[in-house]
Amino acid sequence: MSAAPSWERVYAVVRRVPRGRVATYGQVARLAGLTNGARQAGYALHALRPHTAVPWYRIVNAAGRISLGDVAGAVTQRLLLEREGVPFDAAGRVDLARYQWKARPRRGA
DNA sequence: GCGGTGACGGTCG
DNA sequence: CCGACCGCCACCG
């Protein structure tokens, strides 16, 4: 099954990210079931359509930084996150230790 | 069908 | 702490 592209799987995970939280590409990739790792997750978001209802802006790299190459897009992403209550430090990084989304680990731990 | 590239990640210096 | 290099593998030309 899974006739649909793997990207749909990624979008589904991204949609699960709650407001005011962020997730890393690797995290999303793993939750999406991507064996290749984070790179494909980034590709999936790259292929994302602007009109798609997916909070792509909640996805940052493992360093808590915006990996987007497009400067305008990066600014937009940061703005949207700050708007949700996710602050950036002087280095333009998010405190993943506090704001990284904790995926529902089948029962808390 | 082959080669280069990339919304990354982890490790080394 | 930060910067640089290599590695993985799917997608595009």
Side-chain angles (χ1 to χ4, degrees):
Chain A
M1 326 345 196
S2 318
S6 309
W7 301 333
E8 287 293 326
R9 199 61 87 105
V10 178
Y11 303 152
V13 175
V14 177
R15 272 195 215 95
R16 286 168 58 191
V17 182
R19 192 156 155 291
R21 280 281 158 49
V22 297
T24 65
Y25 292 96
Q27 181 183 0
V28 173
R30 192 157 14 200
L31 292 171
L34 298 180
T35 57
N36 48 338
R39 263 213 149 91
Q40 192 59 13
Y43 231 101
L45 292 175
H46 183 210
L48 223 180
R49 307 259 151 88
H51 56 81
T52 313
V54 177
W56 58 269
Y57 55 87
R58 289 182 190 146
I59 310 303
V60 295
N61 62 22
R65 233 191 210 158
I66 298 173
S67 298
L68 237 185
D70 181 33
V71 182
V75 174
T76 302
Q77 179 171 8
R78 173 169 175 167
L79 230 58
L80 287 166
L81 286 176
E82 289 183 319
R83 199 173 98 186
E84 295 192 348
V86 181
F88 283 75
D89 64 1
R93 293 185 315 211
V94 179
D95 187 352
L96 293 178
R98 290 196 346 175
Y99 293 96
Q100 184 173 44
W101 170 53
K102 309 298 208 294
R104 258 311 172 123
R106 314 192 234 244
R107 286 122 45 135

